[in-house]
Amino acid sequence: MDFFKDHILSITLFFPLVGVFLVMLPKKDDTVRWVANVWMFIGFLLSLPLVCWFKRSGDMEFSEQYAWIPSIGATYHVGIDGISLLLIMLTTLLGFICVLCSWSAIHERVKEYYAFFLLLQCGMLGVFMSLDIFLFYVFWEVMLVPMYFIIGIWGGPRKLYAAIKFFLYTLVGSVLMLLSILYLYFQYHAQFGGYSFDISELMKVVVDPHTQVWIFLGFFVGFAIKVPMFPFHTWLPDAHVEAPTAGSVILAGVLLKMGTYGFMRFALPLTPLGATNSKVVQGVVILSLIGIVYGALVSLMQKDWKKLVAYSSVSHMGFVTLGIFAMNPNGLSGSLIQQLNHGISTGALFLIVGIVYERRHTREISEYGGLSNIMPIYATLFMIITMSSIGVPALNGFIGEFTILQGAFEANRVWAMVAVSGVVLGAAYMLWLYQRTMFGQLTNPKNQNLKDVNVRELAVLLPLIAWAFWIGLYPKPYFDILEKPVAKIVERVHPGYFAQQKAAPVQAAVAEGK
């Protein structure tokens, strides 16, 4: 047990990699499916002790560090705080759900499909665990390869175009991010005489404010493309629409979070003076607000069910980046909660689309209507997920959006006023989608014999719905987990922030006494 506890991160990280080799052994496709599903489920179970053993100390927990490439100062250094923990749990759950939802959707090259998914799982977990920025970059690049093939081989009619576009966009951002990493790396050598990629060591590098702005911009482009922020978002709708259902779920649920995680883990702590530059903050917030409104308006115009959900991600992720660059506890905590919410709600929406697509092989909204008459369980689940995405109280979306808006209001009231419009527009496009597909008469004869959700499809959706209610009804554990790591980020970008907050009531009381 001590060995497992001491190495739980490495075991969780490389467990899917072992599965890559196991799924290549069976000859029958059904056996491959069973192996992949069981292996991913065990991987999820292995990650659960992280929640039980997590101490909420604010420091990196379950740390492991070993020499890797001593000549360049790179180490195998992994560890997690509350931010990483929540995203890792989201990854292990969605990874299993994606493999399970692929059971009847993938019929060609089944071995390769599941092998790529397991490799992708390993890459995503590595991104959230890495405390050495070179190790982080390796996992960041490794993750691109399986996602490229998942879209390019098992995607829709324009799959190659979407896959290449996804790969090139992300690769361009990665190169610029690498330049920022190398600058800090060589500055560390110039100032301290050694070489290190360790994040805690690179935070010691002293760089003038003007240069920090340029370093931050390198990180910004890499992470903004992955989010994706407006105007770097154009790869996203193509990738979502052409990817198989599981590819869309994992892309929305986890891969987009790597960009926002990168901002919180690397860009802000490593370049605090660049990140807090007034022009930089103003520019990023403007792009976030444009993304919120633009994504919602474009969603209203969509005729393709899946493309509507894809553009909604641009709007929802605009809220996430707005919360990050409010740079206060409410904004950052709300941003992290909203990252979870987006993974749950939008991931579930793509699963909802996938269920009817497997039955009808069309995503045109006009092809549907009145489905609640023949698929009542499906319509009920879809309604709950719609309410979750909109942000109705008692569901997860409300907690994240409300906290972000509170943080934005504290930073600048105008930001919050503009962002609120995204909430209203979000309700508009989601309710309109539901009305067009679920309500009314069942006029299309092709829909008259559609079957309601089966047991496997229920097993895929119910965990996400349960999680949505948990966050919506009792979010306290999540805020407790995030309190200390978020405070560290705030103190890093705004030294003395909490001392000023404590002093403010005293100063106000003194002023009133006078």
Side-chain angles (χ1 to χ4, degrees):
M1 180 59 73
D2 287 342
F3 177 84
F4 177 68
K5 188 172 183 178
D6 292 341
H7 300 87
I8 185 172
L9 286 187
S10 293
I11 293 170
T12 304
L13 171 58
F14 293 112
F15 190 79
L17 194 60
V18 178
V20 173
F21 300 99
L22 291 180
V23 296
M24 302 304 290
L25 297 177
K27 294 182 179 180
K28 295 183 178 180
D29 288 346
D30 279 347
T31 308
V32 173
R33 292 185 179 97
W34 274 107
V35 171
N37 277 275
V38 170
W39 202 255
M40 280 294 238
F41 182 64
I42 295 173
F44 168 65
L45 295 180
L46 286 174
S47 67
L48 291 178
L50 289 172
V51 180
C52 302
W53 295 337
F54 192 72
K55 298 177 182 177
R56 305 180 188 177
S57 64
D59 299 322
M60 291 295 171
E61 301 185 26
F62 310 106
S63 294
E64 299 177 50
Q65 187 169 16
Y66 309 101
W68 180 29
I69 313 176
S71 59
I72 63 172
T75 62
Y76 172 79
H77 188 191
V78 294
I80 62 170
D81 60 3
I83 296 170
S84 308
L85 174 66
L86 295 180
L87 291 173
I88 287 170
M89 296 313 301
L90 178 68
T91 303
T92 56
L93 177 61
L94 282 182
F96 166 65
I97 285 174
C98 287
V99 168
L100 182 58
C101 82
S102 303
W103 190 284
S104 59
I106 303 300
H107 304 285
E108 297 179 355
R109 306 179 75 169
V110 176
K111 285 185 179 181
E112 291 87 344
Y113 174 82
Y114 287 112
F116 279 130
F117 235 102
L118 286 158
L119 180 60
L120 178 63
Q121 183 82 344
C122 179
M124 294 185 299
L125 289 171
V127 166
F128 296 133
M129 293 180 185
S130 298
L131 299 181
D132 180 285
I133 203 166
F134 184 83
L135 182 66
F136 162 81
Y137 191 81
V138 169
F139 282 118
W140 179 277
E141 293 298 294
V142 164
M143 171 271 306
L144 287 179
V145 178
M147 194 67 217
Y148 169 82
F149 284 111
I150 288 170
I151 298 172
I153 297 176
W154 294 276
R158 299 173 70 241
K159 57 191 178 185
L160 288 178
Y161 168 77
I164 292 172
K165 192 174 182 180
F166 160 77
F167 194 92
L168 290 179
Y169 265 68
T170 309
L171 191 63
V172 169
S174 299
V175 170
L176 293 175
M177 179 172 66
L178 180 60
L179 292 177
S180 293
I181 292 171
L182 290 176
Y183 184 88
L184 290 172
Y185 172 73
F186 286 113
Q187 279 297 307
Y188 180 86
H189 173 68
Q191 294 178 22
F192 299 98
Y195 289 105
S196 178
F197 284 103
D198 196 272
I199 301 170
S200 60
E201 291 297 315
L202 293 180
M203 287 172 64
K204 299 175 183 177
V205 175
V206 178
V207 183
D208 66 90
H210 178 73
T211 305
Q212 278 202 33
V213 170
W214 287 103
I215 299 171
F216 172 82
L217 290 176
F219 281 119
F220 171 77
V221 175
F223 297 140
I225 289 174
K226 183 65 74 178
V227 170
M229 292 182 67
F230 178 91
F232 307 104
H233 67 283
T234 55
W235 64 268
L236 181 68
D238 294 311
H240 270 316
V241 169
E242 300 305 323
T245 297
S248 296
V249 173
I250 207 70
L251 183 61
V254 181
L255 266 68
L256 304 190
K257 311 306 176 295
M258 293 181 180
T260 49
Y261 174 80
F263 281 126
M264 299 177 76
R265 177 68 71 221
F266 302 104
L268 269 61
L270 291 175
T271 59
L273 299 178
T276 54
N277 179 282
S278 59
K279 292 182 179 179
V280 168
V281 173
Q282 185 177 12
V284 176
V285 168
I286 288 173
L287 292 180
S288 299
L289 294 174
I290 292 174
I292 290 170
V293 178
Y294 167 83
L297 289 174
V298 176
S299 293
L300 278 168
M301 304 300 294
Q302 296 307 310
K303 298 179 180 180
D304 183 297
W305 193 335
K306 203 173 185 183
K307 190 170 282 190
L308 185 152
V309 179
Y311 274 107
S312 76
S313 289
V314 177
S315 183
H316 286 299
M317 294 306 288
F319 276 101
V320 173
T321 51
L322 175 63
I324 291 173
F325 285 88
M327 295 188 194
N328 53 42
N330 281 325
L332 287 164
S333 297
S335 173
L336 224 298
I337 297 294
Q338 192 64 6
Q339 289 177 53
L340 281 184
N341 295 341
H342 181 263
I344 294 167
S345 304
T346 306
L349 284 172
F350 279 118
L351 291 170
I352 285 288
V353 177
I355 288 171
V356 291
Y357 181 75
E358 282 190 35
R359 290 157 168 74
R360 282 290 321 278
H361 300 288
T362 179
R363 294 185 298 266
E364 289 295 318
I365 297 172
S366 59
E367 285 287 314
Y368 299 98
L371 292 186
S372 61
N373 297 307
I374 55 167
M375 302 175 72
I377 299 175
Y378 176 84
T380 302
L381 297 175
F382 186 16
M383 173 57 76
I384 295 171
I385 295 164
T386 297
M387 295 298 103
S388 168
S389 180
I390 290 172
V392 172
L395 284 163
N396 57 335
F398 174 77
I399 302 298
E401 288 180 353
F402 181 85
T403 312
I404 288 172
L405 289 172
Q406 186 178 358
F409 189 85
E410 292 171 12
N412 188 311
R413 295 182 181 184
V414 176
W415 301 354
M417 291 170 62
V418 176
V420 164
S421 64
V423 178
V424 178
L425 291 171
Y429 64 71
M430 286 305 304
L431 292 174
W432 193 35
L433 170 66
Y434 193 87
Q435 181 266 323
R436 286 181 288 172
T437 55
M438 298 296 111
F439 291 153
Q441 297 298 316
L442 192 66
T443 56
N444 191 335
K446 295 179 181 179
N447 296 330
Q448 290 178 354
N449 296 318
L450 293 182
K451 295 182 180 179
D452 210 340
V453 291
N454 56 39
V455 174
R456 179 180 57 82
E457 291 162 343
L458 273 175
V460 163
L461 287 170
L462 288 180
L464 297 178
I465 291 175
W467 203 357
F469 275 111
W470 180 14
I471 295 175
L473 294 171
Y474 188 57
K476 183 179 181 297
Y478 298 90
F479 286 104
D480 289 344
I481 287 172
L482 293 173
E483 182 181 3
K484 291 182 179 178
V486 162
K488 279 192 169 185
I489 296 174
V490 173
E491 193 63 29
R492 176 70 177 170
V493 295
H494 293 303
Y497 174 88
F498 293 100
Q500 294 172 9
Q501 294 296 107
K502 290 179 181 178
V506 177
Q507 293 171 355
V510 171
E512 288 178 7
K514 289 182 179 180

